[in-house]
Amino acid sequence: MDSVLSLDKPKYDLSQDQYRFYHENSYIIFKKLFSSEECDRVYQIFAENADEKFSAIINLDREIPELQRVMRMPKVVSIVEGLLDSEAYGLMTQMLFKEAGSAYAYQSWEIHQDNAYHGNPNGVTLTINIVCKDSNVNNGTLFVFPGTHKEGL
């Protein structure tokens, strides 16, 4: 099953419209960037490493080379570098489970900017969410406030 998360897949050709949209709004959605098989494999890796509470898992890519490949996929790197106009560095993984019955099933976060946590002195933090399961208002979703990146922290 290792081959599902392959580095052999092509780069993503970011359009100028996508680039402009991201810089205007501070977010962009790429539907179907990952296949169902890729999403299933990423989820499976994290699920196999989850504790009984389905607690958040941070930096599992440092232990599981297969997850490192996800971050190095040309389609991921080309998007990040295209949006930032620079090389990508300082990457990390985090998995947030919303498993029914778990302590995290109904957890939510206050409105925030991710760089408030990371504190990048250049103000550059790019978060990529790979949604492995269907997500909606009832089972946990992400709310984005367009343009707030222009307001400072």
Side-chain angles (χ1 to χ4, degrees):
M1 192 171 246
D2 250 29
S3 62
V4 171
L5 300 176
S6 171
L7 291 173
D8 296 335
K9 303 203 174 148
K11 288 182 174 183
Y12 184 89
D13 291 323
L14 190 68
S15 74
Q16 285 297 315
D17 286 341
Q18 289 172 313
Y19 178 87
R20 278 191 292 276
F21 181 90
Y22 170 76
H23 286 278
E24 180 63 29
N25 295 287
S26 77
Y27 78 94
I28 189 165
I29 298 170
F30 297 92
K31 292 183 178 184
K32 309 256 185 222
L33 183 65
F34 288 85
S35 69
S36 295
E37 294 80 14
E38 289 170 325
C39 289
D40 290 347
R41 182 62 186 141
V42 168
Y43 187 84
Q44 178 185 14
I45 292 168
F46 278 102
E48 288 171 353
N49 289 276
D51 64 18
E52 67 282 346
K53 296 179 184 178
F54 286 97
S55 303
I57 301 174
I58 298 175
N59 294 324
L60 187 59
D61 59 284
R62 295 175 186 174
E63 299 172 34
I64 311 283
E66 195 172 2
L67 285 177
Q68 291 174 9
R69 283 198 293 279
V70 174
M71 294 189 307
R72 293 191 331 252
M73 285 179 160
K75 63 185 174 183
V76 174
V77 173
S78 59
I79 289 171
V80 171
E81 291 181 348
L83 291 175
L84 297 179
D85 294 318
S86 68
E87 284 188 44
Y89 61 93
L91 305 174
M92 65 170 279
T93 58
Q94 180 177 8
M95 176 63 148
L96 301 174
F97 293 98
K98 293 293 190 175
E99 293 295 321
S102 73
Y104 295 89
Y106 300 103
Q107 180 182 9
S108 63
W109 281 264
E110 295 293 323
I111 295 172
H112 68 276
Q113 294 171 316
D114 285 351
N115 197 43
Y117 295 113
H118 306 296
N120 183 307
N122 301 314
V124 180
T125 296
L126 182 90
T127 301
I128 298 173
N129 290 290
I130 302 171
V131 180
C132 297
K133 303 279 185 180
D134 287 340
S135 174
N136 59 49
V137 173
N138 295 322
N139 70 1
T141 191
L142 182 68
F143 291 92
V144 178
F145 297 89
T148 55
H149 64 299
K150 298 175 183 179
E151 297 177 9
L153 289 180

